[in-house]
Amino acid sequence: MSIAENLALVQEKIARAAKASGREPGDVLLVGATKMNDAARVKEAIAAGLPCCGENRVQELLEKNAAGAYEGAQLHFIGTLQKNKAKYLVGLVSLIHSVDSEALMREIGRQAEKRGLTQDILLEINTGGEVSKSGFRPEELPAALEKAGEIPGIRVRGLMTVPPICRAPEENLPYFRLLRQLFIDNGEKKYDNVHMDFMSMGMSGDYEAAIACGANIVRVGTAIFGQRIYPAGKG
Ligand SMILES: *Cc1c(COP(=O)(O)O)cnc(C)c1O
């Protein structure tokens, strides 16, 4: 199947899942996880209607951006971000999904202030409590939101999670429900700089389940672009 055919199928499933949860297809943003796909393949997906690209690595993003890969689409950053690389992204991407520490919030804010802009971010939540994963622990979220309110240059737009790897989509439901609960509970409190607009969860294997749990951003790679071929040793 071509990228365009895959994309059409994913969009159809998103539309169905959105309707089933009482929303419109346009209420869910599809972010194509474009890692390991070159500029030509990214352009092909955008030409076929992909509205937004999400990259994981700063270097790869900068190279593909220089090649004009993202023209005609929004650009988000969805991978783990080292503080010293925030400067490359601020103002270039419209949303950073994966903000996982107060230090990173401060650095993004500092870079944004330098450029005279406000950077939209999501806070990443480690819903599975995995030691190997980044993200705030659920109980750390209120303090993180409080802090975010004091940092100029950033605006928190919602939450993001990457749940533990599961065999079946329904095994992820507890993690998706936890993110939804955090989104609701913390959205009711009024923090400065915080607008609980987006819940970013769901990947190729489980985006329909995530939408059923309230996701309004899904990040889909394999189902659009096919299996990624990782160089040996990079797994
Ligand atoms: C790669 C990636 C995805 C997409 O994963 P697929 O299973 O290929 O759909 C989503 N989110 C993040 C953070 C990723 O790195």
Side-chain angles (χ1 to χ4, degrees):
M1 293 246 288
S2 69
I3 287 174
E5 286 168 319
N6 287 338
L7 178 63
L9 194 62
V10 169
Q11 283 172 323
E12 196 183 304
K13 289 183 179 175
I14 289 174
R16 242 183 284 148
K19 286 243 152 105
S21 70
R23 290 176 290 161
E24 292 301 317
D27 294 338
V28 179
L29 175 67
L30 170 60
V31 176
T34 42
K35 58 173 173 272
M36 319 239 1
N37 285 280
D38 63 15
R41 289 174 63 79
V42 174
K43 285 181 185 176
E44 191 180 332
I46 294 170
L50 182 68
C52 180
C53 299
E55 287 289 354
N56 283 70
R57 286 168 191 270
V58 173
Q59 186 61 34
E60 186 179 339
L61 179 150
L62 295 176
E63 283 169 17
K64 286 194 264 183
N65 188 55
Y70 311 114
E71 276 164 28
Q74 285 186 63
L75 178 58
H76 290 182
F77 189 78
I78 64 176
T80 302
L81 179 58
Q82 289 169 282
K83 235 176 37 195
N84 61 345
K85 293 192 175 162
K87 58 177 179 282
Y88 299 114
L89 297 182
V90 170
L92 175 60
V93 303
S94 54
L95 187 65
I96 302 174
H97 286 224
S98 39
V99 177
D100 56 4
S101 72
E102 186 191 325
L104 183 56
M105 285 198 277
R106 289 198 185 282
E107 176 59 12
I108 292 170
R110 203 170 69 84
Q111 295 296 338
E113 278 213 291
K114 262 197 205 173
R115 293 162 176 77
L117 50 86
T118 301
Q119 177 68 54
D120 281 347
I121 63 171
L122 303 180
L123 298 189
E124 180 171 1
I125 308 295
N126 185 355
T127 49
E130 297 170 282
V131 283
S132 61
K133 281 246 171 78
S134 46
F136 292 97
R137 282 182 281 125
E139 61 274 23
E140 292 173 332
L141 180 58
L145 291 170
E146 194 77 50
K147 275 276 148 36
E150 298 163 3
I151 300 173
I154 59 167
R155 181 166 47 211
V156 175
R157 299 294 304 274
L159 306 178
M160 175 266 208
T161 195
V162 182
I165 294 166
C166 294
R167 261 171 260 111
E170 54 287 1
E171 289 177 28
N172 274 340
L173 290 177
Y175 309 113
F176 293 155
R177 291 191 182 122
L178 173 58
L179 197 76
R180 180 188 169 80
Q181 200 55 51
L182 293 169
F183 182 84
I184 292 170
D185 292 347
N186 290 282
E188 284 165 357
K189 299 173 193 143
K190 288 278 169 272
Y191 297 100
D192 294 335
N193 291 356
V194 175
H195 305 261
M196 280 292 177
D197 299 320
F198 300 118
M199 228 187 303
S200 168
M201 56 187 188
M203 319 203 308
S204 289
D206 55 20
Y207 62 91
E208 292 162 283
I211 292 169
C213 293
N216 55 10
I217 301 182
V218 293
R219 310 175 308 267
V220 179
T222 312
I224 297 171
F225 294 101
Q227 285 295 333
R228 292 178 287 273
I229 318 286
Y230 287 92
K234 274 184 112 182

